[in-house]
Amino acid sequence: MTRPSRLVLTGFSGAGKTAVASIVAGTLGWEIADTDDMVQRAAGKSILEIFHEGGEELFRDLEAEAIRTGCSGERVVVSTGGGAVLRAENRSAMADGGFVVCLEARPETILRRLSSGGRALDRPLLATGDPLSRIRALKEARQHLYALCDWTVNTDALTPKQVADEVVRGYDEVAESIPADPDRLAALTDPEAEAPPGTLHIIPDRAASMVRTAGGEYPVFVGWGTLADIGNRIREAGLVRQLYVISDEAVFHHHGDQVEDALRAAELPFDSYTVPPGEASKSLGTASEIYDWLIERRAERGHAIVALGGGMVTDLAGYVAATFARGMPLVHLPTSLLGMVDAAIGGKVAVNHPRAKNMIGAFYQPRFVLADVATLRTLPPREYFSGWAEVIKHAMIADGELLPILEENAGEILKLEPEATADAIRKSVAIKARVVSADDREESGQRTTLNYGHTLAHAIESATGYGRFLHGEAVAIGMMAAARMSERLGLLASADVERQRWLLEAYRLPVEAEGVDRARIDSAMALDKKVSEKSIRWVLLEGLGRPVIRDDVPPEVVDAALREVLV
């Protein structure tokens, strides 16, 4: 049995891999391959520049290529980056024919070493106001992967020379037996190990929530006055080549200058395009006009769309981003309450068909969402109140503290007082993020619960030509119909139905509609996306915070509930 002809060092940044690799290579008479150096030489840029210009994904791709190259040689000590273990392909290259050593250190030791001479500033993933907490979280998320290594050396109290001696001792005493372990390679290269166990995920600095789906993981930032920081946020996301701001004329009048000033201050190139306000702009025709504009500007897949506006702009610009050049990076800057708590979160993007709302669309996740609650000051009062229907919906379907917050702070929220309003929006966003993360493509049924009130709402909007009712107003009416069905089926107490009615009316939302053509309502509901095998799937409530999906609601129950709200 022979020892591996390569020695690979891994472990968190600041554990001393570069210095130790040099000493070990000198002791063994081998070459050195430092993958961070290889990445920077190949790109002709620093790691920080790579992150800013192409994001973490580009860096990880370049890192994987460097690891493949470094681990293809013989008699070489390979020093890898702290996150190299995250990809199974990297672990496979490191372990196949190599002796893998993890250099371990406490978070406090790591921060002290990285802070020496300002080195922490060069680490993109540590660019936060609380780097120690970030180190702890990142390290915890990777620890199960570091534990798979062949040999571990704790470096806290050792000099680089002492650490190198321990590495060489492990190689001398243990490496020869490594190839005989039948389970070693399988354990190191198991793709399932890439996802940290449990809830070991990182929430970026100042993010209200994280959305984690198969289509992407991204933060949602909620705050007062945060729009001024959008240039820096976009730079942190690595979207620096070319930006295309898409907005509607009314929103751009209020917020366009602030966004453009922030992008200029961050030295980001951009162009802006506006569409007429209103749901009529959410169409294939408008999308085609934006495609023409992007083609004229030679837009590429690596450029990014920035959606500045309410739910209509979020849906329309998101649909364009999902379909142009087979997908462009997308950033949402919602400026309406509906956009902040619903449309911008979860990756649903769409345009309307004349006979059905949101019938033409896709699931497409943004890179991040930034909601500046201060932008709500420019909304017409009716539109502001309309948005609270979605927040109330979240409170009704999620058992938690949002419902009493909305009840107890209605006065402050309706006056748009910053603290109370931002707090309610953050909690609503957290509910939406949690549901979407659990079922991003409506496959398990959990995300379908977000459609509470929406079956009738979409039908009302369609039957009235998308002009008479705002979306939130239609949702409020739909919620009352769903609550009445739940009550008639013995699922929901009458007191809870009245509690919902009181809350909707307190937030100045309608609970019934007059003069809507019932035949058009029935026709629109038959075309709804939630129809399955010709049966309408209703989202009802078995109690507060306990949504249930039913496709067996008797026609007479539906009819009675609709007669109560369509007067």
XYZ file of all heavy atoms in Angstrom, residues 5-101:
698
model
N -0.062 10.663 -3.497
C 1.015 11.507 -4.030
C 0.660 12.983 -4.022
O 1.362 13.792 -4.624
C 1.352 11.072 -5.463
O 0.190 11.168 -6.289
N -0.459 13.326 -3.386
C -0.845 14.731 -3.231
C -1.304 14.960 -1.796
O -1.858 14.048 -1.153
C -1.997 15.113 -4.183
C -1.590 15.322 -5.608
C -2.761 15.790 -6.443
N -3.884 14.854 -6.431
C -3.938 13.753 -7.172
N -2.935 13.450 -7.985
N -4.980 12.970 -7.114
N -1.120 16.164 -1.335
C -1.600 16.550 -0.011
C -2.414 17.827 -0.181
O -1.921 18.820 -0.741
C -0.419 16.778 0.926
C -0.702 16.749 2.427
C 0.532 16.309 3.199
C -1.156 18.119 2.909
N -3.663 17.804 0.268
C -4.577 18.921 0.056
C -4.941 19.546 1.398
O -5.374 18.843 2.324
C -5.857 18.459 -0.659
C -6.780 19.659 -0.914
C -5.527 17.755 -1.967
N -4.766 20.856 1.515
C -5.122 21.583 2.728
C -6.429 22.326 2.515
O -6.604 23.044 1.516
C -4.028 22.589 3.094
C -2.634 22.039 3.391
C -1.699 23.172 3.781
C -2.690 20.994 4.497
N -7.353 22.143 3.463
C -8.604 22.881 3.423
C -8.883 23.417 4.822
O -8.100 23.220 5.746
C -9.759 22.007 2.917
O -10.920 22.828 2.709
C -10.083 20.883 3.884
N -9.994 24.099 4.987
C -10.321 24.733 6.257
C -10.722 26.174 6.037
O -10.545 26.734 4.949
N -11.276 26.802 7.056
C -11.803 28.152 6.924
C -10.682 29.155 6.640
O -9.516 28.934 7.013
C -12.535 28.555 8.203
C -13.557 29.643 7.995
C -14.836 29.327 7.563
C -13.250 30.967 8.216
C -15.782 30.320 7.363
C -14.180 31.969 8.025
C -15.456 31.648 7.593
N -11.046 30.248 5.983
C -10.083 31.334 5.755
C -9.467 31.768 7.083
O -10.158 31.881 8.086
C -10.777 32.538 5.111
O -11.292 32.196 3.844
N -8.172 32.021 7.081
C -7.501 32.434 8.296
C -6.940 31.293 9.116
O -6.313 31.520 10.157
N -7.146 30.042 8.661
C -6.608 28.898 9.398
C -5.116 28.716 9.148
O -4.464 27.926 9.833
C -7.368 27.623 9.018
N -4.568 29.416 8.145
C -3.127 29.368 7.894
C -2.707 28.457 6.762
O -1.539 28.037 6.697
N -3.594 28.150 5.831
C -3.307 27.169 4.775
C -2.137 27.585 3.891
O -1.277 26.763 3.564
C -4.569 26.942 3.919
C -5.742 26.356 4.693
C -6.918 26.073 3.797
C -7.516 27.313 3.196
N -8.189 28.181 4.186
N -2.091 28.857 3.489
C -1.043 29.294 2.565
C 0.348 29.168 3.194
O 1.279 28.612 2.584
C -1.292 30.751 2.134
O -2.553 30.836 1.468
C -0.202 31.225 1.197
N 0.502 29.670 4.431
C 1.810 29.596 5.095
C 2.210 28.160 5.373
O 3.372 27.762 5.163
C 1.767 30.392 6.402
N 1.260 27.353 5.814
C 1.559 25.955 6.138
C 1.896 25.167 4.877
O 2.803 24.323 4.884
C 0.368 25.324 6.891
C 0.563 23.815 7.037
C 0.206 25.981 8.259
N 1.196 25.443 3.784
C 1.468 24.731 2.533
C 2.914 24.938 2.100
O 3.578 24.004 1.622
C 0.511 25.198 1.439
N 3.413 26.165 2.243
C 4.790 26.451 1.849
C 5.787 25.650 2.677
O 6.749 25.079 2.136
C 5.054 27.953 2.001
O 6.393 28.260 1.680
N 5.542 25.553 3.989
C 6.468 24.817 4.861
C 6.394 23.318 4.579
O 7.422 22.626 4.494
C 6.142 25.112 6.333
C 6.315 26.608 6.621
C 7.027 24.282 7.259
C 5.801 27.031 7.989
N 5.172 22.786 4.403
C 5.007 21.354 4.128
C 5.660 20.976 2.805
O 6.349 19.956 2.691
C 3.508 20.978 4.123
C 3.319 19.540 3.621
C 2.914 21.123 5.510
N 5.465 21.836 1.793
C 6.070 21.550 0.491
C 7.593 21.531 0.587
O 8.258 20.679 -0.022
C 5.620 22.596 -0.532
N 8.151 22.454 1.388
C 9.604 22.468 1.567
C 10.089 21.221 2.280
O 11.140 20.658 1.927
N 9.329 20.757 3.270
C 9.714 19.560 4.023
C 9.684 18.317 3.142
O 10.586 17.464 3.206
C 8.772 19.370 5.225
O 8.853 20.513 6.076
C 9.144 18.125 6.012
N 8.657 18.216 2.305
C 8.505 17.029 1.460
C 9.260 17.136 0.139
O 9.407 16.136 -0.570
C 7.015 16.791 1.169
C 6.114 16.495 2.375
C 4.660 16.359 1.919
C 6.570 15.229 3.095
N 9.711 18.339 -0.205
C 10.363 18.541 -1.497
C 9.375 18.520 -2.653
O 9.715 18.101 -3.764
N 8.131 18.999 -2.379
C 7.076 18.991 -3.406
C 6.815 20.410 -3.917
O 7.335 21.399 -3.385
C 5.787 18.424 -2.826
C 5.813 16.943 -2.544
C 6.876 16.092 -2.678
C 4.725 16.160 -2.069
N 6.521 14.822 -2.333
C 5.202 14.818 -1.951
C 3.407 16.412 -1.735
C 4.393 13.767 -1.520
C 2.584 15.377 -1.303
C 3.076 14.074 -1.202
N 5.945 20.499 -4.948
C 5.502 21.778 -5.494
C 4.305 22.295 -4.675
O 3.707 21.559 -3.890
C 5.097 21.629 -6.962
C 6.214 21.166 -7.874
C 7.324 22.204 -7.976
O 6.996 23.416 -7.987
O 8.507 21.804 -8.032
N 3.951 23.559 -4.901
C 2.788 24.175 -4.255
C 1.792 24.609 -5.330
O 2.188 25.159 -6.365
C 3.182 25.413 -3.435
C 4.139 25.046 -2.308
C 1.938 26.087 -2.841
C 4.640 26.260 -1.549
N 0.498 24.366 -5.061
C -0.580 24.878 -5.924
C -1.583 25.578 -5.016
O -2.293 24.925 -4.243
C -1.242 23.747 -6.698
N -1.618 26.906 -5.057
C -2.556 27.687 -4.248
C -3.734 28.076 -5.144
O -3.580 28.858 -6.087
C -1.868 28.935 -3.687
C -2.746 29.696 -2.711
O -3.845 30.123 -3.101
O -2.325 29.852 -1.540
N -4.923 27.530 -4.868
C -6.046 27.711 -5.804
C -6.529 29.154 -5.854
O -6.990 29.616 -6.905
C -7.215 26.781 -5.441
O -7.662 27.065 -4.103
C -6.788 25.321 -5.533
N -6.453 29.899 -4.750
C -6.842 31.312 -4.802
C -5.929 32.084 -5.755
O -6.391 32.909 -6.559
C -6.781 31.938 -3.408
C -8.013 31.624 -2.571
O -8.952 31.003 -3.099
O -8.035 31.998 -1.379
N -4.621 31.819 -5.685
C -3.686 32.471 -6.606
C -3.974 32.063 -8.049
O -3.908 32.893 -8.970
C -2.248 32.101 -6.255
C -1.762 32.788 -4.979
O -2.432 33.742 -4.540
O -0.725 32.352 -4.428
N -4.285 30.783 -8.257
C -4.569 30.298 -9.610
C -5.811 30.973 -10.188
O -5.851 31.333 -11.375
C -4.748 28.778 -9.593
C -3.477 28.019 -9.213
S -3.778 26.282 -8.831
C -4.234 25.641 -10.455
N -6.831 31.165 -9.356
C -8.059 31.838 -9.802
C -7.759 33.276 -10.209
O -8.200 33.758 -11.262
C -9.122 31.799 -8.686
C -10.261 32.785 -8.985
C -9.682 30.391 -8.529
N -6.997 33.985 -9.393
C -6.699 35.391 -9.685
C -5.845 35.538 -10.939
O -6.060 36.457 -11.740
C -6.009 36.029 -8.475
C -6.941 36.138 -7.264
C -6.280 36.737 -6.044
O -6.514 37.898 -5.704
N -5.437 35.948 -5.373
N -4.905 34.613 -11.139
C -4.089 34.673 -12.370
C -4.948 34.392 -13.600
O -4.803 35.061 -14.635
C -2.948 33.666 -12.284
C -1.825 34.076 -11.329
C -0.550 33.278 -11.614
N -0.756 31.844 -11.480
C -0.607 31.168 -10.348
N -0.251 31.807 -9.234
N -0.801 29.866 -10.307
N -5.837 33.409 -13.497
C -6.673 33.047 -14.651
C -7.631 34.177 -15.015
O -7.868 34.445 -16.203
C -7.458 31.770 -14.342
N -8.165 34.864 -13.993
C -9.134 35.928 -14.256
C -8.472 37.276 -14.516
O -9.095 38.176 -15.089
C -10.093 36.050 -13.074
N -7.213 37.413 -14.088
C -6.540 38.705 -14.202
C -7.132 39.726 -13.261
O -7.034 40.941 -13.504
N -7.776 39.262 -12.166
C -8.442 40.155 -11.219
C -8.294 39.588 -9.817
O -8.040 38.388 -9.643
C -9.937 40.283 -11.553
C -10.225 40.823 -12.939
C -11.705 40.697 -13.256
C -11.976 41.159 -14.693
N -13.365 40.910 -15.091
N -8.515 40.456 -8.833
C -8.523 39.986 -7.455
C -9.815 39.227 -7.177
O -10.803 39.353 -7.921
C -8.413 41.169 -6.484
O -9.613 41.934 -6.505
N -9.807 38.448 -6.105
C -11.018 37.721 -5.734
C -12.160 38.687 -5.435
O -13.314 38.449 -5.812
C -10.739 36.804 -4.520
C -9.819 35.657 -4.950
C -12.036 36.256 -3.919
C -9.374 34.754 -3.821
N -11.849 39.814 -4.792
C -12.866 40.807 -4.497
C -13.491 41.346 -5.787
O -14.711 41.500 -5.888
C -12.252 41.948 -3.684
C -13.225 42.928 -3.028
C -14.112 42.218 -2.027
C -12.473 44.074 -2.358
N -12.673 41.596 -6.792
C -13.189 42.091 -8.077
C -14.039 41.030 -8.760
O -15.064 41.337 -9.389
C -12.030 42.507 -8.982
C -11.312 43.774 -8.527
C -10.060 44.044 -9.343
O -9.386 43.072 -9.779
O -9.744 45.233 -9.543
N -13.625 39.769 -8.651
C -14.405 38.685 -9.254
C -15.785 38.612 -8.620
O -16.799 38.490 -9.315
C -13.674 37.334 -9.105
C -12.377 37.344 -9.913
C -14.568 36.174 -9.555
C -11.468 36.167 -9.621
N -15.843 38.706 -7.299
C -17.127 38.695 -6.604
C -17.989 39.872 -7.035
O -19.190 39.722 -7.279
C -16.907 38.742 -5.089
C -16.928 37.395 -4.428
C -15.825 36.551 -4.495
C -18.039 36.954 -3.736
C -15.826 35.316 -3.885
C -18.056 35.723 -3.126
C -16.955 34.893 -3.195
N -17.399 41.055 -7.126
C -18.171 42.246 -7.476
C -18.684 42.188 -8.910
O -19.794 42.621 -9.195
C -17.311 43.507 -7.292
C -17.229 43.938 -5.865
N -16.425 44.968 -5.431
C -17.829 43.463 -4.747
C -16.553 45.117 -4.128
N -17.393 44.209 -3.691
N -17.899 41.636 -9.824
C -18.263 41.674 -11.235
C -19.064 40.455 -11.688
O -19.875 40.556 -12.604
C -16.998 41.811 -12.093
C -16.261 43.120 -11.850
C -15.004 43.240 -12.690
O -14.843 42.463 -13.663
O -14.167 44.105 -12.367
N -18.824 39.316 -11.053
C -19.524 38.109 -11.488
C -20.240 37.357 -10.400
O -20.929 36.372 -10.670
N -20.112 37.813 -9.149
C -20.784 37.146 -8.050
C -20.055 35.905 -7.572
O -19.053 35.468 -8.142
N -20.581 35.326 -6.495
C -19.944 34.148 -5.908
C -19.965 32.959 -6.869
O -19.030 32.148 -6.892
C -20.629 33.766 -4.594
C -19.955 32.592 -3.896
C -20.580 32.238 -2.570
O -21.569 32.901 -2.170
O -20.096 31.289 -1.919
N -21.022 32.843 -7.670
C -21.119 31.696 -8.570
C -19.946 31.657 -9.552
O -19.375 30.595 -9.812
C -22.440 31.729 -9.334
C -22.674 30.509 -10.211
C -24.025 30.536 -10.889
O -24.805 31.478 -10.642
O -24.304 29.619 -11.683
N -19.590 32.823 -10.110
C -18.449 32.865 -11.029
C -17.171 32.466 -10.302
O -16.360 31.690 -10.826
C -18.297 34.265 -11.625
C -17.045 34.487 -12.489
C -17.036 33.533 -13.671
C -16.962 35.939 -12.952
N -16.964 32.997 -9.094
C -15.771 32.630 -8.350
C -15.713 31.132 -8.105
O -14.651 30.503 -8.266
C -15.714 33.377 -7.015
C -14.618 32.868 -6.112
C -13.296 33.202 -6.354
C -14.902 32.030 -5.043
C -12.267 32.711 -5.544
C -13.902 31.538 -4.221
C -12.581 31.879 -4.476
N -16.837 30.528 -7.703
C -16.841 29.092 -7.426
C -16.543 28.272 -8.686
O -15.902 27.216 -8.617
C -18.182 28.669 -6.820
C -18.481 29.275 -5.452
C -17.446 28.919 -4.424
N -17.711 29.576 -3.132
C -16.836 29.719 -2.179
N -15.585 29.279 -2.338
N -17.149 30.325 -1.044
N -17.010 28.740 -9.839
C -16.697 28.047 -11.093
C -15.194 28.093 -11.377
O -14.585 27.082 -11.763
C -17.468 28.670 -12.258
C -18.962 28.365 -12.215
O -19.342 27.406 -11.510
O -19.733 29.087 -12.863
N -14.601 29.278 -11.215
C -13.166 29.411 -11.444
C -12.371 28.603 -10.423
O -11.346 27.995 -10.750
C -12.767 30.895 -11.365
C -13.341 31.813 -12.454
C -13.051 33.270 -12.116
C -12.768 31.454 -13.820
N -12.850 28.582 -9.192
C -12.189 27.820 -8.139
C -12.212 26.326 -8.453
O -11.219 25.619 -8.257
C -12.872 28.094 -6.804
C -12.273 27.335 -5.629
C -13.027 27.605 -4.350
O -14.262 27.371 -4.316
O -12.400 28.062 -3.374
N -13.353 25.846 -8.955
C -13.461 24.423 -9.286
C -12.459 24.029 -10.369
O -11.839 22.958 -10.309
C -14.889 24.099 -9.736
N -12.292 24.914 -11.355
C -11.317 24.637 -12.416
C -9.899 24.619 -11.849
O -9.069 23.764 -12.217
C -11.430 25.689 -13.515
C -10.440 25.521 -14.660
C -10.581 24.183 -15.378
O -11.707 23.669 -15.474
O -9.543 23.647 -15.837
N -9.599 25.548 -10.935
C -8.263 25.589 -10.321
C -8.006 24.328 -9.497
O -6.889 23.789 -9.505
C -8.138 26.836 -9.450
N -9.008 23.853 -8.797
C -8.840 22.643 -7.989
C -8.618 21.430 -8.886
O -7.775 20.564 -8.595
C -10.060 22.444 -7.065
C -10.034 23.502 -5.959
C -10.090 21.036 -6.455
C -11.273 23.536 -5.107
N -9.355 21.344 -9.982
C -9.135 20.230 -10.930
C -7.708 20.247 -11.443
O -7.048 19.204 -11.534
C -10.121 20.323 -12.101
C -11.515 19.854 -11.792
C -12.341 19.657 -13.058
N -12.540 20.925 -13.769
C -13.562 21.737 -13.545
N -14.455 21.429 -12.615
N -13.699 22.854 -14.233
N -7.223 21.443 -11.771
C -5.853 21.550 -12.288
C -4.827 21.219 -11.203
O -3.889 20.443 -11.424
C -5.608 22.973 -12.821
O -6.550 23.261 -13.858
C -4.200 23.108 -13.371
N -4.979 21.817 -10.032
C -4.021 21.600 -8.954
C -3.963 20.154 -8.498
O -2.888 19.634 -8.162
N -5.124 19.482 -8.487
C -5.186 18.100 -8.009
C -4.914 17.077 -9.107
O -5.095 15.871 -8.893
C -6.544 17.828 -7.370
S -6.810 18.719 -5.827
N -4.491 17.539 -10.272
C -4.139 16.603 -11.349
C -2.642 16.281 -11.341
O -2.191 15.391 -12.064
C -4.531 17.183 -12.711
O -3.784 18.361 -12.994
N -1.886 17.022 -10.523
C -0.436 16.816 -10.496
C 0.002 15.802 -9.456
O -0.794 15.319 -8.646
N 1.275 15.479 -9.464
C 1.878 14.551 -8.503
C 2.868 15.323 -7.636
O 3.432 16.336 -8.054
C 2.610 13.430 -9.241
C 1.714 12.602 -10.173
C 0.787 11.698 -9.413
O 1.184 11.204 -8.335
O -0.354 11.488 -9.862
N 3.079 14.833 -6.421
C 4.032 15.439 -5.487
C 3.782 16.950 -5.377
O 4.650 17.779 -5.613
C 5.469 15.159 -5.937
C 5.831 13.676 -5.899
C 7.197 13.408 -6.524
N 8.264 14.165 -5.878
C 8.876 13.805 -4.739
N 8.501 12.684 -4.110
N 9.849 14.546 -4.223
N 2.542 17.275 -4.991
C 2.139 18.666 -4.900
C 1.312 18.865 -3.632
O 0.530 18.005 -3.243
C 1.338 19.108 -6.150
C 0.069 18.289 -6.318
C 0.993 20.596 -6.088
N 1.508 20.010 -2.981
C 0.677 20.424 -1.853
C -0.314 21.463 -2.374
O 0.094 22.527 -2.853
C 1.525 21.021 -0.712
C 0.615 21.465 0.438
C 2.544 20.020 -0.214
N -1.600 21.148 -2.292
C -2.639 22.025 -2.831
C -3.310 22.768 -1.673
O -3.867 22.143 -0.760
C -3.695 21.227 -3.610
C -4.740 22.175 -4.209
C -3.036 20.393 -4.706
N -3.267 24.110 -1.708
C -3.926 24.935 -0.705
C -5.216 25.468 -1.302
O -5.198 26.163 -2.324
C -3.009 26.096 -0.300
O -3.685 26.982 0.574
N -6.362 25.122 -0.687
C -7.655 25.505 -1.254
C -8.310 26.616 -0.441
O -7.942 26.879 0.708
C -8.602 24.294 -1.281
O -8.923 23.914 0.065
C -7.968 23.120 -2.000
N -9.317 27.243 -1.036
C -10.081 28.276 -0.346
C -11.005 27.676 0.697
O -11.323 26.487 0.674
N -11.483 28.527 1.607
C -12.299 28.043 2.711
C -13.609 27.426 2.296
O -14.151 26.560 2.990
N -14.165 27.856 1.157
C -15.447 27.314 0.708
C -15.328 26.244 -0.353
O -16.341 25.802 -0.912
N -14.121 25.788 -0.634
C -13.924 24.790 -1.700
C -14.679 23.502 -1.422
O -15.115 22.816 -2.343
C -12.431 24.504 -1.866
N -14.846 23.165 -0.147
C -15.511 21.905 0.205
C -17.001 21.923 -0.101
O -17.659 20.877 -0.039
C -15.311 21.584 1.697
C -13.862 21.276 1.999
C -15.830 22.729 2.575
N -17.577 23.080 -0.429
C -19.013 23.168 -0.632
C -19.484 22.385 -1.845
O -20.637 21.950 -1.895
C -19.441 24.640 -0.770
C -19.290 25.488 0.503
C -19.550 26.956 0.191
C -20.228 24.995 1.591
N -18.625 22.206 -2.834
C -19.019 21.492 -4.046
C -18.489 20.063 -4.026
O -17.306 19.828 -3.759
C -18.498 22.205 -5.299
C -19.221 23.512 -5.601
C -18.859 23.999 -6.997
N -19.563 25.222 -7.342
C -19.475 25.820 -8.525
N -18.704 25.298 -9.475
N -20.150 26.940 -8.769
N -19.387 19.117 -4.352
C -18.992 17.707 -4.373
C -17.891 17.456 -5.398
O -17.007 16.628 -5.171
C -20.203 16.827 -4.673
N -17.919 18.160 -6.534
C -16.896 17.954 -7.563
C -15.509 18.333 -7.032
O -14.507 17.697 -7.374
C -17.224 18.769 -8.815
C -17.248 20.278 -8.575
C -17.557 21.055 -9.838
O -16.814 20.901 -10.828
O -18.546 21.818 -9.833
N -15.462 19.374 -6.179
C -14.184 19.756 -5.580
C -13.699 18.693 -4.607
O -12.525 18.321 -4.593
C -14.317 21.089 -4.848
C -14.593 22.256 -5.777
O -14.417 22.150 -6.987
N -15.043 23.360 -5.223
N -14.593 18.218 -3.764
C -14.208 17.207 -2.790
C -13.740 15.936 -3.482
O -12.832 15.252 -3.010
C -15.369 16.918 -1.835
C -15.812 18.131 -1.046
C -16.687 17.760 0.136
N -17.881 17.038 -0.235
C -19.011 17.592 -0.635
N -19.104 18.913 -0.724
N -20.065 16.862 -0.939
N -14.366 15.613 -4.609
C -13.956 14.431 -5.370
C -12.543 14.593 -5.902
O -11.704 13.688 -5.794
C -14.932 14.196 -6.524
O -14.529 13.098 -7.310
N -12.251 15.784 -6.483
C -10.906 16.031 -7.019
C -9.867 16.037 -5.911
O -8.740 15.544 -6.078
C -10.888 17.366 -7.773
N -10.226 16.572 -4.744
C -9.299 16.654 -3.625
C -9.002 15.275 -3.033
O -7.865 14.960 -2.680
C -9.872 17.572 -2.537
C -9.957 19.035 -2.943
S -11.176 20.009 -2.008
C -10.574 19.828 -0.339
N -10.034 14.432 -2.925
C -9.890 13.156 -2.220
C -9.361 12.036 -3.093
O -8.715 11.107 -2.590
C -11.247 12.751 -1.637
N -9.619 12.079 -4.395
C -9.216 10.995 -5.281
C -7.706 11.067 -5.527
O -7.219 11.836 -6.337
C -9.979 11.093 -6.600
C -9.791 9.841 -7.448
O -9.185 8.873 -6.963
O -10.243 9.841 -8.609
N -6.959 10.264 -4.788
C -5.512 10.260 -4.917
C -4.812 11.272 -4.039
O -3.601 11.470 -4.158
N -5.569 11.931 -3.154
C -4.972 12.936 -2.280
C -5.248 12.654 -0.815
O -6.218 11.977 -0.466
N -4.406 13.192 0.041
C -4.573 13.122 1.489
C -5.099 14.483 1.915
O -4.412 15.505 1.752
C -3.236 12.811 2.167
C -3.299 12.718 3.663
C -4.091 11.769 4.291
C -2.533 13.574 4.450
C -4.134 11.673 5.676
C -2.567 13.486 5.833
C -3.375 12.536 6.454
N -6.345 14.544 2.434
C -7.025 15.815 2.680
C -6.921 16.177 4.161
O -7.379 15.419 5.031
C -8.500 15.748 2.256
C -9.150 17.129 2.397
C -8.622 15.251 0.816
N -6.336 17.338 4.432
C -6.109 17.784 5.806
C -6.897 19.074 6.047
O -6.822 20.022 5.265
C -4.616 18.046 6.069
C -4.406 18.553 7.495
C -3.804 16.788 5.810
